[in-house]
Amino acid sequence: MASFIRKATCSLVNVGSRNFSVSSPRHAAKVSVLGAAGGIGQPLSLLLKSSPLISELALYDVANTVGVAADLSHIETAAQVKGYVGESSLEECLTGSNIVIIPAGVPRKPGMTRDDLFNINAGIAKNLAEACAKACPGAMLCIISNPVNSTVPIASEVYKKHGVYDPRKLFGVTTLDVVRANTFIAELKGTPVSETQCPVIGGHAGVTILPLLSQVEPSCQFSDAERAALTVRIQNAGTEVVEAKAGGGSATLSMAYAGARFAFALLKAMNGSKDVVECSYVDSDVIADLQFFSTPLLLGPNGVEKNLGMGTLIDFEQEALEKMKAELSGSIAKGIKFANQ
């Protein structure tokens, strides 16, 4: 499985290139970014503007999106950019969208956990999911807003209420965990970072993040101490950035890169590219007691084409999987309960 992931994802590294790999798109998409004026939304929108697979980039936020759109519109790429401000413009922004990406919400600050964000961001995610279910129910919905372990279940419940839920098209963007794992492994082992690929399963917070170091490509050997330390660093990498920024924000730039990488993967699959694989947090039957779980996915024109599962875990990974289950299950239940209040 790991070699399949490597083959499918390496071409996504140069996300800012004007010579993106698909030069003649069969389907140039409208992509909407909700929260486009924020710390993640602005650099994410910049990266998306570079893709010839996007014909229209619709940017929504509660303020400042007209200026962001004007700025991006001067860039010499084909995508047309328009800014939408305030709830009254949200339906127009979303109508006709093929992909919707939601980075909206408040960022983490020092001392905060993702659960501390729940009361604010859960409401934002629910309201935006409601709008998407009404205006563009067939679009791919990519959720970045934390806590992803809960906001994705919220969106699923909203879509179910509207009778438009298609589990193939709802994604929690966990790509940053993969990006971090690849980077940290390459630094530790001296492998070329562009060729290093590590699947990451589970969720998108703390101990629910499980890098499968036994499945890294190119294959690497880790001591027990290295494996334990590297796993913890990947799990806590978001906190590492929050603390380094000392109150100045969270992981915005790396998250924007990861969000763009995932969007480009979807766009490639929608345009007929084969063997496009990314990890994402989705409606899943991989773990019997966990309705949502991140694993490598084969993407196709309609979203998830096949869940590739976890592969064979070593004892360390199996133990970590067991340890995460209670927390992840609780986060899923919390999101479902909130959505149905």
Side-chain angles (χ1 to χ4, degrees):
M1 181 175 65
S3 61
F4 191 36
I5 295 169
R6 179 183 58 80
K7 179 176 70 173
T9 58
C10 277
S11 63
L12 299 177
V13 172
N14 295 318
V15 295
S17 173
R18 291 179 63 192
N19 297 313
F20 189 64
S21 58
V22 180
S23 58
S24 300
R26 289 188 288 172
H27 178 74
K30 177 179 178 179
V31 177
S32 294
V33 180
L34 309 186
I40 296 170
Q42 289 199 44
L44 171 61
S45 299
L46 172 62
L47 292 170
L48 294 173
K49 180 68 169 75
S50 71
S51 174
L53 299 181
I54 297 174
S55 59
E56 183 178 352
L57 191 57
L59 308 182
Y60 171 84
D61 216 319
V62 295
N64 302 324
T65 37
V66 172
V68 173
D71 196 356
L72 290 176
S73 72
H74 294 181
I75 294 172
E76 54 178 352
T77 57
Q80 298 298 301
V81 186
K82 185 173 180 179
Y84 299 85
V85 180
E87 188 175 348
S88 62
S89 69
L90 183 53
E91 181 179 357
E92 181 185 355
C93 173
L94 291 171
T95 299
S97 296
N98 304 106
I99 297 176
V100 179
I101 308 172
I102 305 181
V106 300
R108 273 206 298 163
K109 297 179 180 179
M112 293 178 70
T113 67
R114 285 179 173 84
D115 279 343
D116 292 330
L117 303 178
F118 181 87
N119 290 333
I120 298 174
N121 287 356
I124 293 170
K126 183 179 180 180
N127 291 339
L128 294 177
E130 290 272 3
C132 293
K134 295 174 182 177
C136 55
M140 310 286 184
L141 182 60
C142 307
I143 297 180
I144 292 173
S145 305
N146 277 317
V148 166
N149 291 354
S150 298
T151 53
V152 172
I154 288 170
S156 75
E157 292 299 301
V158 169
Y159 272 54
K160 287 174 185 176
K161 287 182 180 179
H162 287 271
V164 295
Y165 183 49
D166 184 346
R168 300 174 301 170
K169 295 184 176 183
L170 175 61
F171 304 92
V173 181
T174 60
T175 315
L176 182 53
D177 300 322
V178 176
V179 168
R180 287 167 166 161
N182 295 342
T183 300
F184 300 162
I185 291 165
E187 290 174 350
L188 179 66
K189 294 298 180 180
T191 57
V193 68
S194 62
E195 298 176 11
T196 303
Q197 296 295 335
C198 178
V200 181
I201 66 169
H204 186 55
V207 297
T208 71
I209 300 168
L210 178 53
L212 299 183
L213 300 179
S214 67
Q215 298 180 27
V216 172
E217 289 276 337
S219 181
C220 299
Q221 297 299 314
F222 299 93
S223 68
D224 291 346
E226 285 177 330
R227 189 181 306 278
L230 190 54
T231 297
V232 170
R233 188 184 177 198
I234 294 165
Q235 291 173 335
N236 294 332
T239 301
E240 184 177 312
V241 175
V242 169
E243 291 177 350
K245 288 189 174 182
S250 58
T252 53
L253 302 178
S254 54
M255 184 63 248
Y257 169 89
R261 168 175 155 161
F262 187 75
F264 293 159
L266 281 178
L267 287 162
K268 288 180 69 177
M270 290 166 64
N271 275 277
S273 293
K274 304 298 183 182
D275 296 349
V276 179
V277 176
E278 286 286 349
C279 294
S280 184
Y281 182 69
V282 297
D283 198 319
S284 172
D285 60 3
V286 169
I287 304 294
D289 298 329
L290 297 172
Q291 183 181 344
F292 294 90
F293 199 77
S294 182
T295 47
L297 308 170
L298 176 64
L299 302 175
N302 296 305
V304 179
E305 193 163 290
K306 183 178 181 181
N307 193 319
L308 301 178
M310 301 183 294
T312 302
L313 306 188
I314 62 173
D315 289 346
F316 175 89
E317 294 161 350
Q318 189 62 50
E319 291 171 7
L321 175 61
E322 294 303 318
K323 289 177 182 177
M324 80 161 71
K325 285 183 178 179
E327 179 174 330
L328 186 52
S329 178
S331 296
I332 293 168
K334 187 175 183 179
I336 291 172
K337 180 179 179 181
F338 180 87
N340 289 295
Q341 287 176 347

